[in-house]
Amino acid sequence: MATSERVIDVRPIPPREKHPTIFQTFQALAPGESFILVNDHDPKPLRYQFEYEHEGEFGWTYLEEGPTVWRVEISRRGS
Amino acid sequence: MRLGISSLAAPEADLQELWAACERRGLTALELDATPAVRLELLAEGGLPGSADDAASGRRPRIAGIRTRVGSDDVGSGAALATANPVPLLLEGGDLDARLEEVHRLVGAGVDARLVIRGGQAVGEAERALREGVHLAWDVAPAETDLAWDLPRLESSLGRGVGYIRLLGGGPESAMQEGLGIGALMGRLGLAGFRGPLILAPSSTKYRVAWQRWVGRRGGWGCGGTTSDPVSLSAGASPSGGSP
């Protein structure tokens, strides 16, 4: 069950701003906090980027997996 | 946050077609603005098609708001629709005094009327409206205003006054709006816990063909690849719509 009230729907964001927006949002979280990402496709490339840049620092939980909308809860783990 | 579209995105589409478009795009909100195919007076008389169960069960996107203009013949019909459903009635147009007077009159009659603010005057209008206890709807026009300037000032009122947002653009225009602050807007709305409707509408009638094509088909919104959504406008594309 989603625990976050913060929802970032990236669908209207210009394509090249989506990932930077998501990472800036992640950086704004305190340890233990999370947000829900809403997208129109499975954000696997984003996950790979998280794994590369924030290995061990984030949580990733699918709340909805298509076929039209994907919702993922992304959390910032405690330091 | 509930992402949706305005009926202005496809002026020739009736309510059923708009609902179908929302479902194709995974949108959960629909704003009704008078168009050739969406006649507020007819909807006020006959009610919304479909059943209340459909809306309650989530089988169709929810009506997020009814939009009308100061002095328009649609104000009465819009107020009746807004009250019957019940959803906010968004009042735009005219000068600030006229808009506020009309909003106060409608609120006094039991309508959830909200003042639409937009552009460079938005912050000043918001401050006055909030002093008078009026709820707001913010039309975000990235091409008209500096979001980096307005956003922090309006953020302080988000929890108190701005519960409804219309973004002029997005959809097929999103690729053209790079650098205008939409990413920052969406990120900060998310962090602030914004839970209201965020309605996409064309920023100009010159993009109507692109919007009608975008509304009429299933597909992604674009993640940088030029082939991901062929109806998206790219920077420098012809306003008649479509990628080169």
Side-chain angles (χ1 to χ4, degrees), chain A residues 1-9 11 35-43 60-66 68-74, chain B residues 1 26 28:
Chain A
M1 177 182 293
T3 56
S4 180
E5 296 290 338
R6 303 179 189 89
V7 177
I8 311 292
D9 194 324
R11 292 176 288 175
F35 66 93
I36 297 171
L37 170 70
V38 181
N39 203 2
D40 67 311
H41 62 272
D42 189 345
W60 183 280
T61 306
Y62 282 97
L63 304 176
E64 186 174 349
E65 296 181 71
T68 306
V69 175
W70 275 255
R71 295 170 63 239
V72 180
E73 184 164 23
I74 299 174
Chain B
M1 180 187 299
T28 56

Side-chain angles (χ1 to χ4, degrees), chain B residues 91 96-111 113-115 128-135:
Chain B
L91 200 66
L96 180 59
D97 288 338
R99 247 178 300 143
L100 279 168
E101 182 180 347
E102 187 73 345
V103 166
H104 283 302
R105 183 187 72 78
L106 289 164
V107 168
V111 180
R114 305 195 188 181
L115 184 82
R128 179 172 163 194
L130 291 172
R131 285 198 300 272
E132 297 188 18
V134 169
H135 290 289

Side-chain angles (χ1 to χ4, degrees), chain B:
Chain B
M1 180 187 299
R2 291 183 287 126
L3 192 65
I5 54 171
S6 164
S7 55
L8 294 180
E12 303 301 323
D14 63 23
L15 204 50
Q16 299 287 6
E17 290 166 330
L18 290 167
W19 275 325
C22 286
E23 287 170 5
R24 278 195 298 273
R25 289 282 178 179
L27 305 173
T28 56
L30 178 61
E31 177 187 282
L32 297 185
D33 199 338
T35 66
V38 173
R39 302 280 300 279
L40 298 186
E41 70 273 22
L42 296 179
L43 292 174
E45 288 173 11
L48 297 178
S51 70
D53 289 342
D54 287 340
S57 68
R59 283 195 291 270
R60 69 168 193 239
R62 292 164 56 187
I63 302 298
I66 311 294
R67 185 172 288 247
T68 187
R69 287 149 194 86
V70 172
S72 159
D73 293 340
D74 280 332
V75 173
S77 302
L81 261 176
T83 302
N85 282 285
V87 293
L89 179 70
L90 315 164
L91 200 66
E92 64 176 44
D95 62 26
L96 180 59
D97 288 338
R99 247 178 300 143
L100 279 168
E101 182 180 347
E102 187 73 345
V103 166
H104 283 302
R105 183 187 72 78
L106 289 164
V107 168
V111 180
D112 179 7
R114 305 195 188 181
L115 184 82
V116 175
I117 58 174
R118 170 176 173 165
Q121 316 94 291
V123 173
E125 292 185 347
E127 290 169 349
R128 179 172 163 194
L130 291 172
R131 285 198 300 272
E132 297 188 18
V134 169
H135 290 289
L136 301 171
W138 181 28
D139 279 6
V140 180
E144 296 176 11
T145 188
D146 183 349
L147 285 181
W149 175 263
D150 289 345
L151 187 53
R153 287 153 186 80
L154 283 168
E155 264 184 317
S156 65
S157 68
L158 272 175
R160 295 182 289 127
V162 182
Y164 192 107
I165 293 176
R166 178 195 257 194
L167 173 61
L168 297 172
E173 298 182 48
S174 62
M176 296 194 308
Q177 294 182 311
E178 195 173 307
L180 297 181
I182 295 175
L185 169 71
M186 300 300 285
R188 291 171 80 156
L189 286 174
L191 286 170
F194 178 75
R195 303 180 70 178
L198 193 145
I199 302 296
L200 306 181
S203 66
S204 169
T205 55
K206 66 184 179 182
Y207 302 126
R208 67 184 184 281
V209 173
W211 275 91
Q212 287 173 343
R213 291 170 61 193
W214 185 83
V215 167
R217 63 179 290 150
R218 183 188 304 275
W221 293 51
C223 200
T226 55
T227 59
S228 57
D229 192 343
V231 299
S232 290
L233 293 163
S234 56
S238 162
S240 61
S243 300

